[in-house]
Amino acid sequence: MSIDSVTDIWETLFSAQPDPPGFLVLVTAATALLVVAFRPLWRVARNAVTIAHEGGHALVALLTGRKLRGIRLEFDTSGLTLSAGRPTGPGMIFTLLAGYVAPSLIGLGGAWLLGGNRITLLLWLAVALLLLMLINIRNVFGAVSVVVTGAIVFAVSWYTSPQVQAAFAYVGVWFLLIGGVPPVFELQKLRSRGRMPESDADQLAGLTHIPALFWVAVFLAVDVAALVIGGFMLAGQWLAG
């Protein structure tokens, strides 16, 4: 690869795209809300939230010195991330804490990048993270889910116009910000029925001796805060447009 080619790629990645039209921010927010609210669409799209959830577990496990054993993504949109290391202590606590807040925090990071019009950088970072996650997937459905998701993001970033890329990126970020919240309510609903005795919140309760409901509230507080802050960031783009 020539120096000119590397320079072109670098400029493509880190250059700012033109400001999107203001209406795009509102239309994409409404689209993401529809996907989350309309159950048939949510059943399919929720896989993206699960990918982010399990990716959050995996990333924090590695950052805290644990050894990642593998990730499974299931057809029912559940998932499992296995890591090796001390069964107690801060590393395990932060690893468990990361899952339910990861989609919203990723969405918040995406909103920050969109605030700087770094749309191409956002899409390529998504592809890179999905490729890293694919290495650790341990079941067929999980591998297919990550490959399909990554292929869609790559195709949009490589083959479509800047306008399509912007619309796709905004829908994706809005979806993570909004879609990060419902799983917390689903978690508590299942817990109240005794159907998730080994949930992240219950495991945190066992490690910290703080009630599981407290951890559910922490998940919800972080996710709502990310939605509000990210929403204001994106609204700034609307007002600027």
Side-chain angles (χ1 to χ4, degrees):
M1 182 179 293
S2 67
I3 294 176
D4 288 342
S5 298
V6 173
T7 302
D8 290 342
I9 293 174
W10 184 268
E11 290 180 353
T12 299
L13 270 178
F14 291 97
S15 61
Q17 281 72 39
D19 289 334
F23 75 88
L24 178 70
V25 182
L26 293 179
V27 170
T28 53
T31 301
L33 182 60
L34 175 64
V35 172
V36 174
F38 187 49
R39 184 167 292 276
L41 291 176
W42 174 241
R43 286 198 190 103
V44 177
R46 197 185 190 285
N47 282 290
V49 175
T50 302
I51 290 172
H53 177 117
E54 300 304 331
H57 282 313
L59 177 61
V60 174
L62 292 173
L63 291 176
T64 56
R66 299 180 63 81
K67 185 175 182 179
L68 190 60
R69 294 295 191 189
I71 303 169
R72 294 181 63 88
L73 304 172
E74 306 295 348
F75 185 75
D76 62 358
T77 71
S78 64
L80 178 66
T81 299
L82 297 174
S83 61
R86 287 183 57 194
T88 59
M92 190 65 195
I93 290 172
F94 283 117
T95 298
L96 288 168
L97 186 59
Y100 278 98
V101 302
S104 297
L105 292 180
I106 293 171
L108 182 60
W112 178 73
L113 287 173
L114 289 180
N117 289 335
R118 297 309 197 269
I119 295 170
T120 302
L121 178 59
L122 170 62
L123 296 176
W124 282 32
L125 279 175
V127 172
L129 291 172
L130 287 165
L131 285 174
L132 290 174
M133 189 172 182
L134 180 62
I135 297 171
N136 294 286
I137 295 292
R138 296 294 181 264
N139 67 323
V140 174
F141 179 80
V144 171
S145 296
V146 173
V147 168
V148 169
T149 304
I152 292 171
V153 178
F154 175 77
V156 170
S157 69
W158 193 260
Y159 295 109
T160 65
S161 66
Q163 293 79 11
V164 173
Q165 292 177 23
F168 182 84
Y170 273 88
V171 169
V173 168
W174 275 118
F175 174 74
L176 288 174
L177 289 170
I178 298 170
V181 177
V184 181
F185 289 100
E186 295 170 6
L187 164 67
Q188 183 53 30
K189 183 178 179 180
L190 292 172
R191 286 190 64 257
S192 67
R193 296 176 178 178
R195 294 173 58 186
M196 288 190 71
E198 296 297 322
S199 71
D200 293 349
D202 290 284
Q203 292 183 66
L204 282 165
L207 289 172
T208 63
H209 306 292
I210 300 174
L213 190 58
F214 169 83
W215 295 108
V216 174
V218 169
F219 298 156
L220 183 60
V222 173
D223 290 347
V224 170
L227 173 58
V228 171
I229 296 169
F232 273 112
M233 288 180 177
L234 296 176
Q237 292 292 93
W238 167 51
L239 294 174

